[in-house]
């Protein structure tokens, strides 16, 4: 093992990927033995005369506690919701858009959140989009847009397409100076670098468990800084003070983030998330961040020298855990790489190469070589076609 591969020990044995390389962490985690074991335990709980609900609800409790510990907040500040869009809706529905009507979001926003913010126009909100039409955005774009009419600022910790790591704390400070709340989309950071809501000083954090947190889609952690009386428009039995009272006529509200919950959680996703977090908890995420940063720095230089366009920033502090390589046939390229045993994730004209704790330079180097080879073959083919 080389110095560049120093973190490869961390999770390798948990993931049966000997004959292929997973570089699609920014989209989903690969199959792991620990998640498989957890799902079998879920099914086993259904195999006797006793109700499985006690075991299932225990997993929900474990997930809430685990999420709170990883992001640095109290358990009462965590709600579990089915997806990021629901989390964003719960945040938006607790806010009023008069006399502060402005929502500031970026052109790099993940659609699952952006659509929720845009839909608030029907409730009187004014949506301001910072960044250019190609999705390039910086912290300065946010700082110029936030003013005294701003009620909510939505900022991705790392942008989902280009892997740009934004200065969350600086944006939060600017927003708080004018009395605006800040919601952070932590999906592309949670599980692969330290995420600390106290350091960011955000008002809300939305982070899921299906990517670098090593679980499955179907459940998302929603952190709320100032738990209180603001009531969401969507509710259900999981948002009550005493869930097992089974009183269909009593609409009470807990003094905590649990009031942002609605219906029955996706139990398989909860089991997978608890298993995934158990692996993340074994890592020193500061070491993982250094490892990932070093790998991507080498890969970025390699790709640029090979003549490819990398839209992810060069500065280490400005990039997350994936590189976005621009290519006009990103979907075709991703399928071509999959045929050669490399999983990547295409999005809107880019192919994303994502790494985690056990990713190695040799794996990433081979992927870069394949990308360059495909690009060269496509260029040569276009030359032949144009000449004929």
């Amino acid at each position: 093992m080389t110095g560049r591969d120093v973190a490869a020990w961390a999770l390798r044995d948990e993931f049966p990927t000997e004959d292929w390389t997973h570089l699609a962490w920014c989209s989903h985690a690969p199959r792991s033995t620990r998640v498989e074991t957890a799902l079998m335990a879920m099914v086993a709980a259904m195999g006797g005369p006793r109700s499985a609900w006690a075991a299932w609800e225990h997993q929900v409790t474990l997930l809430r506690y685990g999420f709170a510990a990883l992001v640095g907040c109290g358990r009462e500040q965590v709600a579990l919701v089915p997806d990021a869009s629901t989390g964003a809706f719960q945040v938006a529905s607790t806010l009023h858009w008069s006399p502060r009507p402005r929502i500031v979001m970026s052109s790099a926003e993940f659609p699952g959140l952006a659509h929720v913010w845009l839909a608030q126009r029907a409730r009187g909100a004014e949506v301001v989009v910072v960044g250019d039409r190609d999705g390039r955005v910086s912290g300065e774009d946010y700082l110029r847009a936030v003013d005294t009419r701003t009620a909510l600022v939505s900022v991705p910790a790392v942008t989902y397409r280009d892997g740009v790591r934004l200065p969350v704390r600086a944006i939060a400070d600017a927003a708080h100076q004018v009395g605006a709340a800040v919601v952070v989309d932590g999906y592309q950071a949670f599980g692969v670098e330290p995420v600390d809501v106290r350091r960011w000083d955000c008002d809300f954090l939305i982070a899921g468990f299906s990517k670098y947190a090593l679980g499955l889609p179907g459940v998302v952690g929603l952190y709320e800084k100032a738990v209180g009386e603001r009531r969401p428009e969507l509710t259900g039995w999981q948002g009550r003070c005493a869930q097992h009272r089974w009183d269909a006529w009593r609409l009470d509200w807990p003094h905590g983030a649990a009031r942002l919950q609605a219906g029955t959680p996706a139990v398989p996703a909860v089991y997978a998330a608890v298993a995934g977090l158990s692996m993340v908890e074994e890592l020193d995420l500061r070491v993982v961040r250094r490892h990932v940063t070093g790998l991507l720095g080498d890969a970025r230089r390699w790709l640029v020298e090979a003549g490819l366009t990398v839209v992810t920033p060069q500065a280490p502090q400005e990039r997350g855990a994936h590189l976005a390589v621009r290519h006009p046939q990103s979907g075709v390229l991703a399928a071509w790489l999959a045929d050669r045993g490399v999983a990547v994730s295409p999005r809107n004209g880019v192919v994303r190469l994502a790494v985690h704790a056990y990713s190695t330079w040799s794996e990433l180097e081979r992927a870069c070589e394949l990308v360059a080879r495909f690009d060269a073959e496509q260029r040569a083919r276009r030359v032949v076609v144009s000449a004929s």
Side-chain angles (χ1 to χ4, degrees):
M1 183 179 296
T2 68
R4 286 172 173 166
D5 298 343
V6 67
W9 53 267
L11 296 174
R12 176 70 68 178
D13 292 342
E14 297 278 359
F15 295 88
T17 56
E18 295 87 356
D19 57 346
W20 63 285
T21 299
H22 187 75
L23 297 177
W25 297 96
C26 54
S27 177
H28 64 88
R31 170 185 169 190
S32 72
T33 55
R34 203 174 305 192
V35 167
E36 287 184 355
T37 300
L39 293 176
M40 290 298 294
M42 178 203 71
V43 174
M46 303 165 63
R50 297 184 183 278
S51 171
W53 278 107
W56 292 350
E57 290 180 339
H58 178 63
Q59 291 291 309
V60 172
T61 299
L62 290 178
L63 183 56
R64 177 177 288 106
Y65 288 5
F67 181 79
L70 270 177
V71 304
C73 71
R75 298 163 183 173
E76 75 285 354
Q77 294 175 291
V78 174
L80 297 177
V81 295
D83 50 61
S85 298
T86 301
F89 178 83
Q90 294 299 74
V91 171
S93 70
T94 66
L95 303 177
H96 301 289
W97 307 115
S98 177
R100 301 171 70 100
R102 181 168 289 187
I103 301 173
V104 175
M105 71 175 206
S106 81
S107 57
E109 196 91 42
F110 183 70
L113 277 72
H115 296 164
V116 174
W117 310 141
L118 293 174
Q120 299 309 305
R121 291 169 173 168
R123 298 178 60 226
E126 171 193 344
V127 180
V128 176
V129 182
V130 302
D132 65 22
R133 294 186 64 85
D134 290 331
R136 289 186 292 264
V137 65
S138 68
E140 289 73 19
D141 295 328
Y142 277 96
L143 299 182
R144 286 192 294 267
V146 174
D147 62 17
T148 55
R149 299 178 66 240
T150 304
L152 182 68
V153 178
S154 177
V155 52
V158 177
T159 65
Y160 82 99
R161 192 193 71 173
D162 293 350
V164 177
R165 193 166 178 255
L166 290 167
V168 173
R169 181 55 186 260
I171 296 169
D173 287 346
H176 292 155
Q177 285 177 6
V178 297
V182 176
V183 56
V184 175
D185 173 6
Y187 240 110
Q188 294 292 343
F190 183 61
V192 74
E193 67 170 272
V195 171
D196 188 333
V197 294
R198 296 161 299 188
R199 176 170 55 87
W200 281 347
D201 196 24
C202 56
D203 299 280
F204 301 94
L205 170 72
I206 298 170
F209 304 96
S210 60
K211 304 182 191 297
Y212 300 101
L214 313 179
L216 290 174
V219 64
V220 165
L222 172 58
Y223 156 79
E224 181 186 36
K225 179 181 180 181
V227 295
E229 299 300 325
R230 293 181 297 185
R231 297 175 180 177
E233 293 182 10
L234 177 65
T235 193
W237 75 285
Q238 288 284 311
R240 303 282 69 79
C241 290
Q243 297 169 356
H244 293 153
R245 186 184 293 122
W246 312 115
D247 186 346
W249 304 103
R250 182 170 180 173
L251 190 63
D252 56 12
W253 301 85
H255 187 80
R259 76 192 190 290
L260 302 173
Q261 299 175 162
T264 303
V267 174
V270 170
Y271 268 79
V274 171
L277 285 194
S278 73
M279 289 184 275
V280 173
E281 289 165 354
E282 294 170 5
L283 301 171
D284 184 334
L285 292 178
R286 296 169 298 179
V287 174
V288 174
R289 170 66 186 163
R290 289 196 296 270
H291 174 65
V292 164
T293 302
L295 283 182
L296 294 185
D298 289 346
R300 192 185 190 283
R301 285 189 293 274
W302 196 104
L303 290 163
V304 170
E305 289 172 2
L308 292 151
T309 300
V310 181
V311 298
T312 308
Q314 180 177 0
Q317 71 274 15
E318 295 178 2
R319 62 173 180 260
H322 73 266
L323 294 179
V325 183
R326 184 174 294 155
H327 201 281
Q329 294 179 292
S330 58
V332 176
L333 171 55
W336 187 86
L337 289 170
D339 289 341
R340 287 151 183 81
V342 178
V344 298
S345 176
R347 289 290 185 276
N348 296 342
V350 303
V351 163
R352 302 181 297 172
L353 308 178
V355 294
H356 208 324
Y358 76 64
S359 301
T360 67
W361 169 244
S362 58
E363 292 172 330
L364 193 52
E365 183 181 36
R366 177 173 178 268
C368 291
E369 290 172 347
L370 287 171
V371 170
R373 175 179 147 195
F374 177 88
D375 186 66
E377 290 177 357
Q378 293 300 306
R379 289 176 186 272
R381 186 173 292 116
R382 288 195 293 269
V383 170
V384 171
V385 171
S386 62
S388 62

